[in-house]
Structures are given as C-alpha cells and as structure tokens.
Amino acid sequence: MSVANTLLSAVPGSPSAGIRLLARLGFAAIGVVYLLMGALALMVATGLRLAAQADKEEAVQHLQTVPGGRLLLGLIAVGLLGYIVWRFTQAIRDTEGKGSDAKGVGTRLWYVCSGLFYSGLALYAGRLALQGYADKGGSTSQSLTAKVLAWPGGNWLVLLAGVVIIGVGLYQGYRAFSGQLRNDVDGSSLTSAQQRLVYRAAQIGITARGAVVAIIGYFVVQAGRQSRAGAVGSTDEAFDLLAAMGPLALGVVALGFVAYGLYSLVQAKYPILRGL
C-alpha cells in the first residue's frame, strides 16, 4: 500500500480523485499497448513484417523508436501502475459491491489478478524509460510449469490450469455478447451512433483477446498432457499459431486487438468508476 499512497499523495484532491486519475491513465496505457500489439500482428498478416513477435514487451519496446519514446514509456509504466492500484482498490474497498460471499470474494480476487497481470510489463516499461534497455528475462510461465510438473500429480495440475485458462478465454467471448460491456463506458456524452460503435469495438476486441487467452490455455493443456514445460506459450506463440493458420486468422485477431486498444482509450476518456 506504500506505493499506492506515494502515488496518491502526488495527486491533488481527495484519494478517490487520485484513484480515478490513476485508473484512467491505466486504461490509456493498456489501450496504447494493445494498439501496438494489433498493429505489429497486422503487419505480419499483410506481409509487411516477417516475424509474428507481437507480445506486450515487443510492443512497448517499439516506443523507443519514436520521438520522446522514453517519456512515453514512463507514462506507460505509470499508467499500468495506476491500473494496478485501481484494481486493488476495487478488491479491497469492494467498490463494485460484490460482497463477501464465495462468489464475491472470487470476483474481488479476480480484480487483484487482473491488476497483477500487468505488473511485469509496468516494470519492463519503467526500466526502458529509465535505463534505455531492459532484459525480458526467461519464460516465467515455463519455469513455473516446470516446477509444478515436478510435483506428484503435477501434470494433472498443469492440465487443470490449462482448462481453467481456456474457460477464462471462453468467458471473455460470453462477456462480450452478454450485454455486460454496456456498463463499462459512460456514454452520456456520446451520440447513439458513437455508443454503438464503441460497443461493437468492445465486443470485437474482447472476443479477440479471449481467443488468444484460450490458445494460451491450449498450450498449457498440452504441457500437462506431454509433461513438458516447453509446450507452454504466451501471446507471442499464440500469434505464431494464428499465423500458421493463415493471414486471415491472424489478421482478424490483430484487428480485434486494435479494436480493443481503441475501446480502452475511449474508456480512459469516459470511464465508469463505481464507488469512488
């Protein structure tokens, strides 16, 4: 909480106003990252780029090549950290009113996991901004999988984790078309046509993201079936698989990532932040 307090102390106004600002910075940072990922993958699909490396670190690293790149990287790092603070606030203060029953606690734990998901990228972007270089390091997921596989029955645990990840990806598709997304953007300042456009972008983007998550889950399932940690893959390997399926498959998902990036930028400008 000391990091959160340090950030909030630098923001004028009430703590809630500070958290709102951090959340909006977080949405904007995520929007930029997904726009870059989608653009890189789209370049591969159209033959403008040979390798399908379009993971989050690769996307952020490309910001070094633009004027003011280090400043942009610093803003990305701060924004992602702000997103983490907001997600922890949702979980701890229960701003969404989920309650303390099993379902509510599970949802609030999901908020924490959603925030921590971007912690590595925030650190990577921060190091690039301050030092001009940063080591991606090894595959944390593969290292963790190798440790779990060494446990008695570890292959079954890994297989189960893969099934859960596939379920999360499929749930993203359900969430995209269940009407839940209508509560994520304040459309009071938008026309009806603009609201529909934002909603469609959200549906397309979250479905594409869910498809990539499901593919990553498939990799984890294969790691459990084969008792081989090397079978685990990330977004980069998911794009490789889509590229092997053909430029159309990769292009559709790449456009989905671009749509999600644009949606996140709209969410940064017109957020709905309950309980703050």
Side-chain angles (χ1 to χ4, degrees), residues 61 64 69-70 73 124-135:
Q61 195 173 46
Q64 289 183 301
R70 282 202 175 186
L73 285 165
Y124 181 74
R127 285 176 174 170
L128 284 177
L130 294 174
Q131 303 172 355
Y133 66 91
D135 186 3

Side-chain angles (χ1 to χ4, degrees), residues 7 18 26-27 37 40 53 76 94 108 111 130 155 163 165 168 197 212 214 258 271:
L7 281 170
F27 291 137
M37 291 172 66
L40 292 174
Q53 291 183 341
I76 292 291
D94 192 18
R108 291 162 70 179
Y111 294 151
L130 294 174
N155 59 322
V163 171
I165 294 171
V168 170
L197 183 60
V212 170
V258 171

Side-chain angles (χ1 to χ4, degrees), residues 36-37 39-55 58-59 61-62 236 250:
L36 290 171
M37 291 172 66
L40 292 174
L42 196 58
M43 290 172 67
V44 175
T46 55
L48 297 176
R49 197 165 182 261
L50 297 179
Q53 291 183 341
D55 59 11
E58 182 77 12
Q61 195 173 46
H62 271 70
D236 198 1
L250 179 60

Side-chain angles (χ1 to χ4, degrees), residues 1 8 12 39 65 88 113 132 139 156 201-202 213 268:
M1 292 299 294
L8 294 179
T65 63
F88 270 74
C113 294
S139 174
W156 288 103
V213 170

Side-chain angles (χ1 to χ4, degrees), residues 80-257:
L80 293 175
L81 186 56
Y83 182 82
I84 296 169
V85 171
W86 173 64
R87 281 303 205 182
F88 270 74
T89 301
Q90 280 186 303
I92 295 171
R93 291 175 49 178
D94 192 18
T95 58
E96 302 290 325
K98 298 301 181 181
S100 300
D101 57 7
K103 182 179 179 181
V105 170
T107 302
R108 291 162 70 179
L109 284 175
W110 168 253
Y111 294 151
V112 172
C113 294
S114 175
L116 291 177
F117 178 75
Y118 291 100
S119 58
L121 184 61
L123 181 61
Y124 181 74
R127 285 176 174 170
L128 284 177
L130 294 174
Q131 303 172 355
Y133 66 91
D135 186 3
K136 289 186 180 181
S139 174
T140 304
S141 56
Q142 288 188 3
S143 300
L144 178 60
T145 302
K147 292 179 181 179
V148 175
L149 286 173
W151 299 348
N155 59 322
W156 288 103
L157 291 174
V158 171
L159 197 151
L160 177 61
V163 171
V164 171
I165 294 171
I166 291 174
V168 170
L170 294 176
Y171 176 74
Q172 295 299 307
Y174 163 77
R175 181 169 175 265
F177 293 91
S178 65
Q180 298 180 30
L181 301 179
R182 297 187 186 278
N183 300 319
D184 290 344
V185 170
D186 182 3
S188 60
S189 300
L190 304 174
T191 66
S192 298
Q194 289 172 332
Q195 291 179 30
R196 286 193 298 269
L197 183 60
V198 170
Y199 184 61
R200 295 305 178 208
Q203 287 183 310
I204 294 169
I206 290 178
T207 300
R209 192 177 66 162
V212 170
V213 170
I215 292 173
I216 293 173
Y218 166 77
F219 291 149
V220 177
V221 167
Q222 294 306 307
R225 289 182 65 246
Q226 302 170 16
S227 294
R228 184 172 65 90
V232 174
S234 62
T235 305
D236 198 1
E237 287 73 25
F239 279 129
D240 285 338
L241 178 61
L242 288 166
M245 295 169 62
L248 179 61
L250 179 60
V252 168
V253 174
L255 286 173
F257 270 51

